[in-house]
Amino acid sequence: MDFKNIIRDIPDFPQQGIIFRDITPLLAHPQGLTTVIQSFKTKFAELNINAIDAVIGIESRGFILGAPLAMALGCSFVPVRKPKKLPSAVFRVEYTLEYGTDSLEIHQDAIAAGQRVIIIDDVIATGGTAAATAKLVTQSGAELVAYGFLIELDFLNGRSALPEVPIVSLVNY
Ligand code: AMP
């Protein structure tokens, strides 16, 4: 399946000069999500990334990909959420955006110390969001073993902002 042909490019969304990579047509394709999850599973296996305890999905498109991947791997799914969404005690990380800052949270008891986890999102752009999520994994005492992104925007070199663990991306621009 040619993911790039099915992902839709929306110029100037959400602001002038940005090409938004819209994955909704791929999600709508009857075999789209199944093929994406199989591709992630195969690539992680090829890299000998095994014995995963949890998939960490970043709000909100990371949930769409992360939950079925956790099912396919037979492991836990853990959401990382925007502030004030999670009801129990959280770890919080603040990170810098183009203008101002944002925060992400994870439940303190969601992953146990020493667990092997992978972080999943739809797109890596500058890498700020994924790097912040790695800090939440560190705060939890877990071991980050890999990242998975459906789309990597190579020209922004987001991977240089991330800890040195394997990065699987399925489509590159
Ligand atoms: P960043 O922190 O810069 O790596 O941005 C990553 C987050 O922003 C991801 O959660 C993406 O969903 C979203 N994002 C950034 N750039 C794009 C883009 N061109 N198309 C779609 N989503 C994007």
Side-chain angles (χ1 to χ4, degrees), residues 18-21 59 61 121-130 153:
I18 303 285
I19 302 174
F20 192 88
R21 307 297 178 177
E59 186 165 353
R61 278 163 287 167
D121 204 359
D122 66 331
V123 177
I124 176 167
T126 66
T129 310
L153 306 181

Side-chain angles (χ1 to χ4, degrees), residues 130-153:
T133 304
K135 288 184 185 155
L136 292 174
V137 169
T138 304
Q139 281 188 69
S140 304
E143 182 191 354
L144 177 62
V145 294
Y147 278 103
F149 302 103
L150 175 49
I151 296 167
E152 179 171 7
L153 306 181

Side-chain angles (χ1 to χ4, degrees), residues 8-70:
R8 177 165 57 181
D9 299 341
I10 313 280
D12 299 321
F13 183 89
Q15 59 194 62
Q16 199 74 24
I18 303 285
I19 302 174
F20 192 88
R21 307 297 178 177
D22 177 18
I23 66 166
T24 61
L26 181 55
L27 299 173
H29 189 293
Q31 282 87 46
L33 193 50
T34 303
T35 312
V36 167
I37 298 308
Q38 275 307 328
S39 302
F40 272 130
K41 216 183 145 181
T42 303
K43 290 209 173 198
F44 285 128
E46 282 169 2
L47 292 169
N48 289 318
I49 297 164
N50 301 310
I52 302 301
D53 296 304
V55 173
I56 316 290
I58 307 176
E59 186 165 353
S60 58
R61 278 163 287 167
F63 299 170
I64 299 169
L65 304 177
L69 180 60

Side-chain angles (χ1 to χ4, degrees), residues 1 6 22 44 76-77 95 129 145 147 154 165:
M1 182 179 288
I6 305 175
D22 177 18
F44 285 128
S76 307
F77 174 75
Y95 62 105
T129 310
V145 294
Y147 278 103
D154 294 338
V165 295

Side-chain angles (χ1 to χ4, degrees), residues 102-114:
D102 211 342
S103 301
L104 288 171
E105 295 180 346
I106 192 170
H107 269 148
Q108 287 183 6
D109 60 0
I111 37 182

